[in-house]
Amino acid sequence: MRCQPLAANLLRHRLMAVLTMLFVVVSAARSNDLPTSVLNTLKRFDLGQEGLSIRIESIDSGDVVLDFRSDVAMNPASTMKLVTTYAALSTLSPGHQWQTGVYLLGEVDANGVLNGDLGLRGGGDPYLVEETLLQMLGELRRRGISEINGDIVFDKGLYQLPPSDPAAFDNEPLRAYNVAPDPLLVNFKVIRFWFEPAADGQNVKVTTQPALPNLTIVNDLKQRPGRCRGYQRGIRIDAEPNGREVRFSGEFPSGCKRYSMGRTLLDHDSYAFGLIKNQWQLLGGTITGTFRRDTVPEDAESLFDWRSRPFGEVIRLINKHSNNVMTRQVFLTLGQHYFGAPATIEKSRDAVVAWTEQQALALDDFFVDNGSGLSREARISTAAMTRLLQHAWRSPYMPEFVSSLSLVGTDGTFRRRHKRGALTGRAHLKTGRLDDVSALAGYMLAKDGQRYAISVIHNDKGVHRGAGEAVQDALLRWLYHYEPRPITVNDRASGTGAGESP
């Protein structure tokens, strides 16, 4: 008689074990299923699922919330900046500063005249902007120098790069995002043009920031009645990528009180010289010569080394605003740090790979290209990206890294999305967008207080025209309301822990 209860208990235990296994399998399968809201968004934009990859993991437990084609290496656009900047942050430290060497290549007489050249040795500073340059030149004036009776010598031996074609990527050579790196990158080589209707009702006033004495502006713009709208407000730009003349033509709407656009003109050396000459004159100084690229003698004694902002500050400017050329400067710094000067693209690629190996980050089918994500060849999987995000979260430099990402609805490239509502301020995210590419990566705090690492890469025709953002927004809303089911011993043993959607 005792055999029956024993048999019944054994059968009950076996049944429970089977049910538990089935539940785990079903839960794991569900972790591979897209949320209904995401599926509906794909359908609304007539997009398939084959171009989408998603990986979401719990920060606290590491459990996988959603895994959809996460092992497929895809083009991540600007989310690749997270790899470059985190590698640099953990390698160089937040306190790293770039140095621009200032040299007097001649004697200074009693009247403050430098009878010789002023040498500037580029150190790869990614944020040597107009205000910083003015401070640096102001230091020269404070040291008693009032006249430079010679040239400005640019020493750019730190980089060894192939010739750059600013039109190569997308045939937009005047766009700021296509600026190439330079050891003495000044103000990102960008000129902001301001357009205002003239008081005569016929012409258009054009001004620039900064004012460059070596740039010629030909203004053939005319006013037309109308509201302030239309592509570039009807302005046509004709200029050579590195030319010293720009021509504006077309009809500018009289309804525009003020309109601006940033473009890149002049080569790096001409731009830097024009800005230096203008600022030196503003400071009351004079310069009789021009500029040339040359090597500052090794035995030359520097007057001073101008230090950049710490990298802990620079990383925020890079990731929040997705600055390509700043990222590429940091990328080259990594190569120099690992393998010495001169910095090259190949050294930098090898440096990032070496860093991933040192950190035991398995980035399969990974290719960083130029470090910024402005590439058709760059590749990474969402699984690899979330591994990097998890690693960064446990890093001593986590606060600097996370705070460099856009705060949803508040700043950076995410400032206009979810400005109001439940998602505002709930996530730190990096966006990425190229033609036919839309991506997102970072961290999100859900409604119940759980935090998640999330990576989304979407490669599909036309996905950059709003569809990709719509898919991402649907996913973020779903994740905000996500409630994981309790984790069981069987889940831990099986390596799952995926929850059901609410």
Side-chain angles (χ1 to χ4, degrees), residues 193-213:
F193 295 94
W194 295 91
F195 305 89
E196 301 175 73
D200 61 10
Q202 300 293 322
N203 297 303
V204 179
K205 181 181 177 183
V206 181
T207 55
T208 67
Q209 180 66 30
L212 300 177

Side-chain angles (χ1 to χ4, degrees), residues 76-91 311 315-316 318-324 327-328 330-331 334 352 355-356 361 363 366 368 370-374 380-382 384-393 397-398 400-406 413 428-432 439-443 453-457:
S78 280
T79 59
M80 183 62 84
K81 290 180 173 68
L82 297 185
V83 178
T84 302
T85 55
Y86 177 48
L89 191 65
S90 63
T91 301
F311 184 48
I315 189 176
R316 290 170 57 85
I318 291 174
N319 285 335
K320 282 188 181 291
H321 304 288
S322 202
N323 190 298
N324 288 317
T327 313
R328 295 175 71 177
V330 171
F331 182 63
L334 270 173
V352 173
W355 173 80
T356 62
L361 283 168
L363 303 188
F366 166 76
V368 68
N370 59 34
S372 72
L374 188 71
I380 194 172
S381 67
T382 55
M385 184 66 79
T386 50
R387 280 198 294 276
L388 181 132
L389 292 170
Q390 292 277 24
H391 193 281
W393 185 265
Y397 305 135
M398 178 273 286
E400 287 82 4
F401 181 71
V402 175
S403 65
S404 77
L405 309 183
S406 294
T413 57
H428 286 85
L429 299 168
K430 177 74 193 75
T431 59
L440 174 152
Y443 307 95
I454 177 173
S455 176
V456 182
I457 301 178

Side-chain angles (χ1 to χ4, degrees), residues 316 320 403 405-416:
R316 290 170 57 85
K320 282 188 181 291
S403 65
L405 309 183
S406 294
L407 187 61
V408 169
T410 302
D411 63 13
T413 57
F414 234 105
R415 66 189 180 279
R416 292 192 177 95

